[in-house]
Amino acid sequence: MNTNLDQARWSENVIIADADYVDAVAFDIIVNFERIIGRRIPKADMARWVDCIALDGGLRPGEHTTQVVLLHGESRSRLENFEPGDYAADLDGKAFSDNLGEFTFSSLPAVKPTGGGSLFTEAVEVVCAAPEVKRVMLIPNAELIYDDVRRALSRVADDKRVTVFAMQPMAGGNFRQEILGYSLMSALGIKAEEIKPY
């Protein structure tokens, strides 16, 4: 097990994101929607995106604490399509507060665990096993590891509220599902009225 995960003190709410995947999806949305709506789209607002994920995951305004764990490739130092995006300078160990409470960030390079599998599924297992954690929001690279995540979640206690975000509906499990694209479009400043029906 990854000692950074094992020794962590978890808050009641945890967001775990495959940051490389989220960054790639944001890039695809930017490229496609700039053509559709005919204007330049700025980088995604990280705080706005995290707020949208938390709201979609069931968090409501109040004095909450939420940890945001960004897993990324060892060679990646930043999210290219988010602002702020530098893991070391802007995100790791930083926090912000708003009407949903306090959000604290940590970034973790995704070194492959010694027992096989992925750091993402290992993080899911560790976080979901922590008794203090009540709400978990997961953004995996669903095209690659969705079945592994679903298997890991099959052993999660019923008192945890787990939401998995993907770009399309996936085969069900004992968790809620939300579409990732909506939160990213909001963070990128794309408004519903800009999208013309075809």
Side-chain angles (χ1 to χ4, degrees), residues 156-175:
V156 172
D158 291 338
D159 65 337
K160 310 262 187 213
R161 179 186 169 122
V162 179
T163 307
V164 177
F165 293 79
M167 286 303 289
Q168 60 191 18
M170 306 295 279
N174 60 332
F175 48 84

Side-chain angles (χ1 to χ4, degrees), residues 15 47-62 64 66 98-100 103 135 137 161 163 165 176 178 183 186:
I15 297 170
R48 175 136 181 95
W49 178 68
V50 166
D51 272 352
C52 290
I53 291 292
L55 287 166
D56 286 347
L59 202 66
R60 295 298 171 255
H64 307 287
T66 303
D98 61 18
N99 67 325
L100 296 176
F103 293 85
R135 179 180 284 109
M137 292 141 279
R161 179 186 169 122
T163 307
F165 293 79
R176 294 164 173 82
E178 292 289 342
S183 60
S186 177

